[in-house]
Structures are given as C-alpha cells and as structure tokens.
Amino acid sequence: METGQGLRIAIYSQDGFGLGHMQRTTSIAWELYRLRPEASILTFSDSQLGQFFPISPHHDYIKLPSIAKEGPGNWKATHLRMSFPEILQLRKELITNTLLNYSPDIFLVDHMPHGAMGELLPALESMKHFGLHAQNVLGLRDILDSPEVTINRWQVEGAYDVIERFYTRILVFGMQDVYDVAEKYQLPESVSKKVFYCGYVANLDTERNAYTIRARYLAGKPADTRLIVVMAGGGADAYQMMSTLIEALPIVLEDQPVSVAVITGPFMPAELMADLERQAGRLPIQMLEAVTDSTSYISAADLVIAMAGYNTTVEILRMKTPAILIPREGPSAEQRTRARLFAEKRWVNMIDPDELTPDNLAQSISSYLRHPNGLKPSTLPNLSGAAVAARHTLAALASKKEGSHTQAA
C-alpha cells in the first residue's frame, strides 16, 4: 500500500561493467516521475558512474560495493580487497536492511530476478515475511544471453521459481517479433502471462549540438568530408574494435576524406587509451574519453561505428544514423545476437568480431559512405519503451486488487 509520504519506488540496477542498465533505469525513472511527480525513487546500483546521468527529482541512490561479471555465474569484487563471499554478504545486508526500512510500494528489478549471485533473495523473502506488500516488477533487456546459457543459469540459480513466487509483472525492453523472450528462455505458461513487451528504452535526452559538432570536426575540410563517430558505451572492451578502425582508416582515406571522433568510454584502461592515441598519429582522428551528449554525436555523424550494447544501439536507431555494429566476443552472446537480428531487420549493418579485419572494416565503411541510404528497413523499431515500462510498473499497484495478471491491450 502507498505510504502517507506518497508513493515509494525502489529500483535494483546491477551494472558493474558498463552503462546500459543505469541508462535504462534512469530513463524509466524519469518517466515514472512524469506520471507520479510526488513519488520517491531509490535506486540500488554498483556502477562507478552511479550518477553519470541526470536524475529526476525525488530520486536518490544507494551505492553498493562494485562487482564485475567474469562469465556466467562468475563474479569478482572490483575495488575492495575482500573475498567474493564477504562482499556478497555485505551487499545482501545493505539491500535487505534498506528495503525493510524504506518499505517500497513497487520494487523494479533490472535484469536478474534473484540479483547477482542470488543477493536479492533475502530481501524478497524478508519483504514477504514482514508483509510489506511491495509489488515486484522484473525488467528484462531484449536479449540476456544465448537461450542455452540463460536457461541453464536460471535453472541452476532457481530464477524460474523466484519469478513465479515473487514477481507481479515481467517487462521486456524490446519487441516480441525481434526476440521472443518468453519462448527463447522457456518461461512457464504461468509466468508468460505476466510478460509485457514495452519496446526499446531510449535515452530521453534530446539532440542539442549536432550542428556545432559537425562544424567543429569539418571546419576547413573539403566539402565532401564525412564525419565518422566511433563509440562503445563504457569502453572496457572496445580496444580491439578501435585499434582496427585506426588501421582501416588509411584505406578509407584513399577514396573518401573523413574526420573521425573516437569516444573510448570512461572504463577503457588509461594505457590502452594512450596506445590508441599513439596509433592514430597524424590521422584525422580526435580521441575523447567521454561526452555528455552522445545523442548529439550520433545525430551529427554521417556514419557511426559502435559495439552492439543495448543503449548505444537504441540511440543509433532513434537518431536514424547509418551504423556498422561490431559486437563484442563475450562473455555473453548478447551483443552478437542483437547485432545479427538488427541487421536482419536492415536497421544496421554488422561485422562479426571473428571477421573484423582492417580490410573488411574499410570496405564496409567505404560502401556505406558511397551509398548512405542503401539499407531499407523491413519494419521500424518501437522506441517507446521507457514510457510504456513506466506505465506497466505503476499498473502493478492495481494487480493485487484485481487478482489477475492478464495483459492489457
């Protein structure tokens, strides 16, 4: 039930490796605020950049000790000199004690129904035991991992049982006709009835400085110079893609003058950034660690070259900028799957990381610049995910009263 101080919403956003989860939950929080401006929103996050994005009023953060995923079901502490069991116990207690005191009306959990290594289970059990009446809503990215890996992990970790026992609704931040999460991950029929496909969650920022950015990079250049923007979200694993781009650029320049902005991302190690600077030499490349208006850079570009993370990819679709996606090799199949499916929809082009060479990349870039309107999408992406997810999250308040989980039209 709602408290005397107004609606209380809690969000769990595990994002130790990149920026995508924080971007999605922040965008949804803004939409929740627009619908219920009196609500308080408290986010649990372990991202080093917990407040990298502008937050809505009445929105605050609990910073959890940071951890990072090394592989399916395998995590490590990234900063504190503690064993993983110790840091996991610390996180469990922080989450559980805070939720019991905060007493949310809605608990929106991003990505992992039981949390990293099951860290949400004590909180979910405790809230139920003490009768807090929180409506738990699970938000899933369009693609988690390959079906085989996800199904295996969820079976081992008991995620299917957790979803069935604790969650009122499951929101998918994607389109069913692109990737049917209920089918791919073999959700039981009782759980499938709780699934709502919201569309892709886009950054709510508006493009502000595209004209200024183009003027900055193209000033004094020949009239046919094209602007290429290279980006990779947090950038922790972007070195190989960016190094290959630098090797490919002299080949591209034989046919077409270009100016290149490379945004390495805040998580790329300093020594690798320095090495990219050295490789770039006298080429028409400007290296940037991060920008506050990535949407403007995407809009300003004639071509974007990017990894296939959720947030970067959705922003490319929103700006309708031609793009070449180069998904990362691992540790999951998520990016490869997304890039392949989006390429099949003719929303983007892609190069598989196993086929990434300077020659292949140069050929793809030159082809795009010669025929910028070559891709004709078969369907258009649904980019209204933040607003739809916010509405479904708030609608969970009525689920207990209604006594059913039937999907709204």
PDB file of all heavy atoms in Angstrom, residues 73-96:
ATOM      1  N   GLY A  73      27.570 -16.736 -14.093  1.00  0.00           N
ATOM      2  CA  GLY A  73      27.595 -17.157 -12.693  1.00  0.00           C
ATOM      3  C   GLY A  73      28.913 -16.944 -11.988  1.00  0.00           C
ATOM      4  O   GLY A  73      29.112 -17.447 -10.877  1.00  0.00           O
ATOM      5  N   ASN A  74      29.818 -16.169 -12.587  1.00  0.00           N
ATOM      6  CA  ASN A  74      31.151 -15.968 -12.013  1.00  0.00           C
ATOM      7  C   ASN A  74      31.404 -14.477 -11.848  1.00  0.00           C
ATOM      8  O   ASN A  74      31.477 -13.743 -12.835  1.00  0.00           O
ATOM      9  CB  ASN A  74      32.209 -16.604 -12.916  1.00  0.00           C
ATOM     10  CG  ASN A  74      33.602 -16.528 -12.308  1.00  0.00           C
ATOM     11  OD1 ASN A  74      33.754 -16.344 -11.104  1.00  0.00           O
ATOM     12  ND2 ASN A  74      34.619 -16.654 -13.130  1.00  0.00           N
ATOM     13  N   TRP A  75      31.557 -14.028 -10.594  1.00  0.00           N
ATOM     14  CA  TRP A  75      31.711 -12.610 -10.300  1.00  0.00           C
ATOM     15  C   TRP A  75      32.946 -12.387  -9.448  1.00  0.00           C
ATOM     16  O   TRP A  75      33.455 -13.305  -8.804  1.00  0.00           O
ATOM     17  CB  TRP A  75      30.478 -12.081  -9.547  1.00  0.00           C
ATOM     18  CG  TRP A  75      29.199 -12.189 -10.311  1.00  0.00           C
ATOM     19  CD1 TRP A  75      28.441 -13.319 -10.497  1.00  0.00           C
ATOM     20  CD2 TRP A  75      28.528 -11.137 -11.010  1.00  0.00           C
ATOM     21  NE1 TRP A  75      27.336 -13.034 -11.256  1.00  0.00           N
ATOM     22  CE2 TRP A  75      27.355 -11.704 -11.576  1.00  0.00           C
ATOM     23  CE3 TRP A  75      28.775  -9.781 -11.201  1.00  0.00           C
ATOM     24  CZ2 TRP A  75      26.457 -10.949 -12.316  1.00  0.00           C
ATOM     25  CZ3 TRP A  75      27.879  -9.023 -11.921  1.00  0.00           C
ATOM     26  CH2 TRP A  75      26.736  -9.616 -12.477  1.00  0.00           C
ATOM     27  N   LYS A  76      33.391 -11.125  -9.411  1.00  0.00           N
ATOM     28  CA  LYS A  76      34.516 -10.760  -8.541  1.00  0.00           C
ATOM     29  C   LYS A  76      34.318  -9.333  -8.040  1.00  0.00           C
ATOM     30  O   LYS A  76      33.640  -8.519  -8.670  1.00  0.00           O
ATOM     31  CB  LYS A  76      35.843 -10.854  -9.296  1.00  0.00           C
ATOM     32  CG  LYS A  76      35.987  -9.836 -10.413  1.00  0.00           C
ATOM     33  CD  LYS A  76      37.370  -9.857 -11.028  1.00  0.00           C
ATOM     34  CE  LYS A  76      37.488  -8.765 -12.123  1.00  0.00           C
ATOM     35  NZ  LYS A  76      38.835  -8.734 -12.712  1.00  0.00           N
ATOM     36  N   ALA A  77      34.919  -9.039  -6.883  1.00  0.00           N
ATOM     37  CA  ALA A  77      34.948  -7.670  -6.389  1.00  0.00           C
ATOM     38  C   ALA A  77      35.934  -6.870  -7.224  1.00  0.00           C
ATOM     39  O   ALA A  77      37.000  -7.376  -7.596  1.00  0.00           O
ATOM     40  CB  ALA A  77      35.348  -7.653  -4.918  1.00  0.00           C
ATOM     41  N   THR A  78      35.590  -5.613  -7.539  1.00  0.00           N
ATOM     42  CA  THR A  78      36.464  -4.813  -8.399  1.00  0.00           C
ATOM     43  C   THR A  78      37.322  -3.809  -7.631  1.00  0.00           C
ATOM     44  O   THR A  78      38.321  -3.334  -8.167  1.00  0.00           O
ATOM     45  CB  THR A  78      35.640  -4.050  -9.455  1.00  0.00           C
ATOM     46  OG1 THR A  78      34.706  -3.195  -8.787  1.00  0.00           O
ATOM     47  CG2 THR A  78      34.884  -5.012 -10.354  1.00  0.00           C
ATOM     48  N   HIS A  79      36.953  -3.479  -6.394  1.00  0.00           N
ATOM     49  CA  HIS A  79      37.696  -2.461  -5.667  1.00  0.00           C
ATOM     50  C   HIS A  79      38.128  -2.926  -4.277  1.00  0.00           C
ATOM     51  O   HIS A  79      39.310  -2.870  -3.954  1.00  0.00           O
ATOM     52  CB  HIS A  79      36.868  -1.178  -5.540  1.00  0.00           C
ATOM     53  CG  HIS A  79      36.680  -0.449  -6.825  1.00  0.00           C
ATOM     54  ND1 HIS A  79      35.738  -0.825  -7.749  1.00  0.00           N
ATOM     55  CD2 HIS A  79      37.312   0.628  -7.353  1.00  0.00           C
ATOM     56  CE1 HIS A  79      35.789  -0.018  -8.795  1.00  0.00           C
ATOM     57  NE2 HIS A  79      36.736   0.866  -8.571  1.00  0.00           N
ATOM     58  N   LEU A  80      37.177  -3.344  -3.459  1.00  0.00           N
ATOM     59  CA  LEU A  80      37.504  -3.732  -2.091  1.00  0.00           C
ATOM     60  C   LEU A  80      38.323  -5.020  -2.072  1.00  0.00           C
ATOM     61  O   LEU A  80      38.060  -5.952  -2.835  1.00  0.00           O
ATOM     62  CB  LEU A  80      36.226  -3.916  -1.280  1.00  0.00           C
ATOM     63  CG  LEU A  80      35.338  -2.672  -1.110  1.00  0.00           C
ATOM     64  CD1 LEU A  80      34.113  -3.008  -0.277  1.00  0.00           C
ATOM     65  CD2 LEU A  80      36.113  -1.522  -0.482  1.00  0.00           C
ATOM     66  N   ARG A  81      39.301  -5.052  -1.170  1.00  0.00           N
ATOM     67  CA  ARG A  81      40.135  -6.257  -1.035  1.00  0.00           C
ATOM     68  C   ARG A  81      39.419  -7.224  -0.081  1.00  0.00           C
ATOM     69  O   ARG A  81      39.801  -7.416   1.068  1.00  0.00           O
ATOM     70  CB  ARG A  81      41.516  -5.885  -0.527  1.00  0.00           C
ATOM     71  CG  ARG A  81      42.286  -4.999  -1.500  1.00  0.00           C
ATOM     72  CD  ARG A  81      43.623  -4.560  -0.928  1.00  0.00           C
ATOM     73  NE  ARG A  81      44.519  -5.695  -0.701  1.00  0.00           N
ATOM     74  CZ  ARG A  81      45.297  -6.238  -1.622  1.00  0.00           C
ATOM     75  NH1 ARG A  81      45.289  -5.758  -2.858  1.00  0.00           N
ATOM     76  NH2 ARG A  81      46.088  -7.245  -1.320  1.00  0.00           N
ATOM     77  N   MET A  82      38.352  -7.801  -0.609  1.00  0.00           N
ATOM     78  CA  MET A  82      37.535  -8.747   0.149  1.00  0.00           C
ATOM     79  C   MET A  82      37.257  -9.953  -0.734  1.00  0.00           C
ATOM     80  O   MET A  82      37.232  -9.832  -1.961  1.00  0.00           O
ATOM     81  CB  MET A  82      36.201  -8.103   0.557  1.00  0.00           C
ATOM     82  CG  MET A  82      36.326  -6.888   1.461  1.00  0.00           C
ATOM     83  SD  MET A  82      34.721  -6.035   1.682  1.00  0.00           S
ATOM     84  CE  MET A  82      33.797  -7.287   2.586  1.00  0.00           C
ATOM     85  N   SER A  83      37.032 -11.096  -0.116  1.00  0.00           N
ATOM     86  CA  SER A  83      36.623 -12.266  -0.879  1.00  0.00           C
ATOM     87  C   SER A  83      35.221 -12.025  -1.425  1.00  0.00           C
ATOM     88  O   SER A  83      34.459 -11.209  -0.881  1.00  0.00           O
ATOM     89  CB  SER A  83      36.629 -13.510   0.003  1.00  0.00           C
ATOM     90  OG  SER A  83      35.596 -13.422   0.970  1.00  0.00           O
ATOM     91  N   PHE A  84      34.865 -12.760  -2.481  1.00  0.00           N
ATOM     92  CA  PHE A  84      33.529 -12.537  -3.031  1.00  0.00           C
ATOM     93  C   PHE A  84      32.433 -12.924  -2.042  1.00  0.00           C
ATOM     94  O   PHE A  84      31.434 -12.204  -1.928  1.00  0.00           O
ATOM     95  CB  PHE A  84      33.341 -13.272  -4.361  1.00  0.00           C
ATOM     96  CG  PHE A  84      32.049 -12.880  -5.021  1.00  0.00           C
ATOM     97  CD1 PHE A  84      31.942 -11.683  -5.713  1.00  0.00           C
ATOM     98  CD2 PHE A  84      30.916 -13.680  -4.914  1.00  0.00           C
ATOM     99  CE1 PHE A  84      30.744 -11.290  -6.290  1.00  0.00           C
ATOM    100  CE2 PHE A  84      29.715 -13.300  -5.490  1.00  0.00           C
ATOM    101  CZ  PHE A  84      29.640 -12.099  -6.182  1.00  0.00           C
ATOM    102  N   PRO A  85      32.561 -14.028  -1.290  1.00  0.00           N
ATOM    103  CA  PRO A  85      31.516 -14.321  -0.291  1.00  0.00           C
ATOM    104  C   PRO A  85      31.328 -13.180   0.714  1.00  0.00           C
ATOM    105  O   PRO A  85      30.206 -12.881   1.113  1.00  0.00           O
ATOM    106  CB  PRO A  85      32.026 -15.594   0.392  1.00  0.00           C
ATOM    107  CG  PRO A  85      32.843 -16.274  -0.658  1.00  0.00           C
ATOM    108  CD  PRO A  85      33.517 -15.152  -1.409  1.00  0.00           C
ATOM    109  N   GLU A  86      32.426 -12.527   1.112  1.00  0.00           N
ATOM    110  CA  GLU A  86      32.311 -11.410   2.054  1.00  0.00           C
ATOM    111  C   GLU A  86      31.570 -10.229   1.436  1.00  0.00           C
ATOM    112  O   GLU A  86      30.683  -9.636   2.052  1.00  0.00           O
ATOM    113  CB  GLU A  86      33.700 -10.947   2.498  1.00  0.00           C
ATOM    114  CG  GLU A  86      34.426 -11.883   3.442  1.00  0.00           C
ATOM    115  CD  GLU A  86      35.807 -11.370   3.792  1.00  0.00           C
ATOM    116  OE1 GLU A  86      36.601 -11.075   2.865  1.00  0.00           O
ATOM    117  OE2 GLU A  86      36.089 -11.233   4.988  1.00  0.00           O
ATOM    118  N   ILE A  87      31.951  -9.891   0.219  1.00  0.00           N
ATOM    119  CA  ILE A  87      31.334  -8.718  -0.410  1.00  0.00           C
ATOM    120  C   ILE A  87      29.884  -9.014  -0.777  1.00  0.00           C
ATOM    121  O   ILE A  87      29.024  -8.127  -0.723  1.00  0.00           O
ATOM    122  CB  ILE A  87      32.155  -8.260  -1.637  1.00  0.00           C
ATOM    123  CG1 ILE A  87      31.938  -6.754  -1.860  1.00  0.00           C
ATOM    124  CG2 ILE A  87      31.806  -9.020  -2.912  1.00  0.00           C
ATOM    125  CD1 ILE A  87      32.964  -6.116  -2.758  1.00  0.00           C
ATOM    126  N   LEU A  88      29.585 -10.274  -1.113  1.00  0.00           N
ATOM    127  CA  LEU A  88      28.213 -10.645  -1.418  1.00  0.00           C
ATOM    128  C   LEU A  88      27.338 -10.510  -0.168  1.00  0.00           C
ATOM    129  O   LEU A  88      26.219  -9.987  -0.233  1.00  0.00           O
ATOM    130  CB  LEU A  88      28.157 -12.077  -1.954  1.00  0.00           C
ATOM    131  CG  LEU A  88      26.778 -12.614  -2.328  1.00  0.00           C
ATOM    132  CD1 LEU A  88      26.145 -11.777  -3.431  1.00  0.00           C
ATOM    133  CD2 LEU A  88      26.884 -14.083  -2.760  1.00  0.00           C
ATOM    134  N   GLN A  89      27.853 -10.953   0.968  1.00  0.00           N
ATOM    135  CA  GLN A  89      27.097 -10.831   2.211  1.00  0.00           C
ATOM    136  C   GLN A  89      26.864  -9.367   2.566  1.00  0.00           C
ATOM    137  O   GLN A  89      25.770  -8.980   3.011  1.00  0.00           O
ATOM    138  CB  GLN A  89      27.837 -11.544   3.355  1.00  0.00           C
ATOM    139  CG  GLN A  89      27.076 -11.559   4.671  1.00  0.00           C
ATOM    140  CD  GLN A  89      25.752 -12.294   4.573  1.00  0.00           C
ATOM    141  OE1 GLN A  89      25.595 -13.236   3.779  1.00  0.00           O
ATOM    142  NE2 GLN A  89      24.776 -11.876   5.373  1.00  0.00           N
ATOM    143  N   LEU A  90      27.871  -8.534   2.357  1.00  0.00           N
ATOM    144  CA  LEU A  90      27.736  -7.100   2.619  1.00  0.00           C
ATOM    145  C   LEU A  90      26.641  -6.490   1.754  1.00  0.00           C
ATOM    146  O   LEU A  90      25.796  -5.717   2.235  1.00  0.00           O
ATOM    147  CB  LEU A  90      29.078  -6.405   2.376  1.00  0.00           C
ATOM    148  CG  LEU A  90      29.121  -4.880   2.541  1.00  0.00           C
ATOM    149  CD1 LEU A  90      28.698  -4.479   3.946  1.00  0.00           C
ATOM    150  CD2 LEU A  90      30.531  -4.365   2.236  1.00  0.00           C
ATOM    151  N   ARG A  91      26.630  -6.839   0.466  1.00  0.00           N
ATOM    152  CA  ARG A  91      25.609  -6.313  -0.444  1.00  0.00           C
ATOM    153  C   ARG A  91      24.218  -6.809  -0.049  1.00  0.00           C
ATOM    154  O   ARG A  91      23.244  -6.045  -0.068  1.00  0.00           O
ATOM    155  CB  ARG A  91      25.952  -6.708  -1.887  1.00  0.00           C
ATOM    156  CG  ARG A  91      27.135  -5.948  -2.476  1.00  0.00           C
ATOM    157  CD  ARG A  91      27.607  -6.579  -3.788  1.00  0.00           C
ATOM    158  NE  ARG A  91      26.548  -6.627  -4.787  1.00  0.00           N
ATOM    159  CZ  ARG A  91      26.496  -5.860  -5.882  1.00  0.00           C
ATOM    160  NH1 ARG A  91      27.450  -4.957  -6.107  1.00  0.00           N
ATOM    161  NH2 ARG A  91      25.520  -5.995  -6.755  1.00  0.00           N
ATOM    162  N   LYS A  92      24.109  -8.082   0.294  1.00  0.00           N
ATOM    163  CA  LYS A  92      22.806  -8.630   0.708  1.00  0.00           C
ATOM    164  C   LYS A  92      22.236  -7.851   1.892  1.00  0.00           C
ATOM    165  O   LYS A  92      21.048  -7.499   1.910  1.00  0.00           O
ATOM    166  CB  LYS A  92      22.951 -10.100   1.111  1.00  0.00           C
ATOM    167  CG  LYS A  92      23.105 -11.083  -0.037  1.00  0.00           C
ATOM    168  CD  LYS A  92      23.226 -12.496   0.508  1.00  0.00           C
ATOM    169  CE  LYS A  92      23.360 -13.514  -0.603  1.00  0.00           C
ATOM    170  NZ  LYS A  92      23.508 -14.896  -0.071  1.00  0.00           N
ATOM    171  N   GLU A  93      23.075  -7.587   2.879  1.00  0.00           N
ATOM    172  CA  GLU A  93      22.593  -6.904   4.069  1.00  0.00           C
ATOM    173  C   GLU A  93      22.225  -5.458   3.776  1.00  0.00           C
ATOM    174  O   GLU A  93      21.227  -4.939   4.300  1.00  0.00           O
ATOM    175  CB  GLU A  93      23.648  -6.986   5.172  1.00  0.00           C
ATOM    176  CG  GLU A  93      23.840  -8.413   5.699  1.00  0.00           C
ATOM    177  CD  GLU A  93      24.891  -8.505   6.788  1.00  0.00           C
ATOM    178  OE1 GLU A  93      25.407  -7.447   7.206  1.00  0.00           O
ATOM    179  OE2 GLU A  93      25.196  -9.625   7.230  1.00  0.00           O
ATOM    180  N   LEU A  94      23.010  -4.788   2.939  1.00  0.00           N
ATOM    181  CA  LEU A  94      22.677  -3.418   2.566  1.00  0.00           C
ATOM    182  C   LEU A  94      21.325  -3.352   1.860  1.00  0.00           C
ATOM    183  O   LEU A  94      20.483  -2.498   2.163  1.00  0.00           O
ATOM    184  CB  LEU A  94      23.768  -2.854   1.643  1.00  0.00           C
ATOM    185  CG  LEU A  94      25.049  -2.350   2.307  1.00  0.00           C
ATOM    186  CD1 LEU A  94      26.123  -2.097   1.243  1.00  0.00           C
ATOM    187  CD2 LEU A  94      24.779  -1.072   3.093  1.00  0.00           C
ATOM    188  N   ILE A  95      21.117  -4.259   0.906  1.00  0.00           N
ATOM    189  CA  ILE A  95      19.864  -4.261   0.142  1.00  0.00           C
ATOM    190  C   ILE A  95      18.683  -4.593   1.041  1.00  0.00           C
ATOM    191  O   ILE A  95      17.662  -3.891   1.061  1.00  0.00           O
ATOM    192  CB  ILE A  95      19.955  -5.263  -1.023  1.00  0.00           C
ATOM    193  CG1 ILE A  95      21.011  -4.804  -2.050  1.00  0.00           C
ATOM    194  CG2 ILE A  95      18.595  -5.423  -1.708  1.00  0.00           C
ATOM    195  CD1 ILE A  95      21.366  -5.872  -3.073  1.00  0.00           C
ATOM    196  N   THR A  96      18.807  -5.676   1.825  1.00  0.00           N
ATOM    197  CA  THR A  96      17.683  -6.127   2.653  1.00  0.00           C
ATOM    198  C   THR A  96      17.308  -5.099   3.709  1.00  0.00           C
ATOM    199  O   THR A  96      16.127  -4.740   3.859  1.00  0.00           O
ATOM    200  CB  THR A  96      18.035  -7.469   3.329  1.00  0.00           C
ATOM    201  OG1 THR A  96      18.337  -8.440   2.321  1.00  0.00           O
ATOM    202  CG2 THR A  96      16.870  -7.973   4.171  1.00  0.00           C
TER     203      THR A  96
END
